[in-house]
Amino acid sequence: MRVAAGIDIETTGLSQEDGHRMVEVGIRLYNFDNGEFIVKFVQRLNPQRPIDPKAQAVHGISFEDVADCMTWEEYAPRFVKIMSKVDVLIAHNGESFDLPFINGELIRVGQPVLFQPLIDTMLKARWATPMGKYPNLGELCFACGVDYDPSKAHGADYDIDVMCQCYFKYKDYFGDVNVVPR
């Protein structure tokens, strides 16, 4: 069985160069061949820095919500162990944001980076919008007939769930990826 990991993160802000960190990491594992859900892992993280008010307005996570959570340094080895079983990654805006951010954080704490092929459901879904622009997650869900609740958006687990529903429902539209099972 080939294993896919839907991944999403929430952060203190957009720029790692400015010291922003992750406050939530979500992973949902699926059978890549048939879309069957296997298990999920969602971890909130203490970023050891303030959360930018603009970021908090998007994801709704305050520093008080994560103050008693483990740090990325503590969680990263578990994350790497989970991801070592994965054959392909699925993320919305993963190529430009999630994957570079995660890999930067892995490097920062001395862990190996993610190397699996990535399917970016934003970059691969221009077909989902009338003018061929890159769809946001709500637009992708609308095009795929997947219920989308904006009040739940920007929670890592929710975003992964609806993104993967879209992906597995219209897998052929997202293009081929060469995934060899481990």
Side-chain angles (χ1 to χ4, degrees):
M1 171 177 69
R2 299 181 299 173
V3 177
I7 58 173
D8 189 39
I9 61 173
E10 303 303 331
T11 64
T12 63
L14 298 177
S15 173
Q16 261 181 318
E17 293 76 25
D18 292 337
H20 287 288
R21 302 283 180 251
M22 295 182 289
V23 295
E24 186 172 64
V25 177
I27 308 165
R28 282 179 160 251
L29 301 182
Y30 296 85
N31 179 324
F32 183 65
D33 299 309
N34 64 17
E36 180 181 320
F37 172 73
I38 300 170
V39 67
K40 71 177 177 177
F41 305 91
V42 178
Q43 182 64 54
R44 288 208 168 164
L45 302 164
N46 180 333
Q48 302 177 296
R49 62 153 292 146
I51 298 172
D52 185 284
K54 290 179 184 177
Q56 185 174 335
V58 171
H59 53 58
I61 301 170
S62 70
F63 187 80
E64 292 75 28
D65 294 332
V66 295
D68 294 329
C69 295
M70 68 174 59
T71 65
W72 174 247
E73 289 84 350
E74 296 167 321
Y75 182 67
R78 181 173 180 210
F79 176 84
V80 168
K81 184 176 181 181
I82 294 165
M83 298 308 286
S84 73
K85 313 263 190 272
V86 170
D87 298 297
V88 64
L89 306 172
I90 305 170
H92 196 78
N93 196 22
E95 188 174 308
S96 295
F97 187 73
D98 297 79
L99 199 55
F101 208 104
I102 291 168
N103 281 338
E105 287 295 276
L106 288 168
I107 290 167
R108 183 177 66 80
V109 298
Q111 293 289 330
V113 298
L114 300 179
F115 60 88
Q116 297 91 336
L118 170 67
I119 298 164
D120 189 321
T121 59
M122 184 181 82
L123 296 181
K124 299 271 188 179
R126 291 179 91 154
W127 51 264
T129 59
M131 301 303 287
K133 75 172 190 72
Y134 296 121
N136 65 38
L137 192 52
E139 292 167 332
L140 179 63
C141 288
F142 179 79
C144 293
V146 171
D147 287 337
Y148 180 77
D149 183 347
S151 71
K152 295 179 183 177
H154 302 292
D157 187 51
Y158 179 78
D159 286 357
I160 297 166
D161 179 31
V162 296
M163 171 192 66
C164 285
Q165 285 182 54
C166 293
Y167 176 75
F168 287 112
K169 189 173 181 179
Y170 288 98
K171 190 175 180 179
D172 292 343
Y173 287 89
F174 288 96
D176 291 331
V177 63
N178 185 19
V179 179
V180 180
R182 298 179 185 273

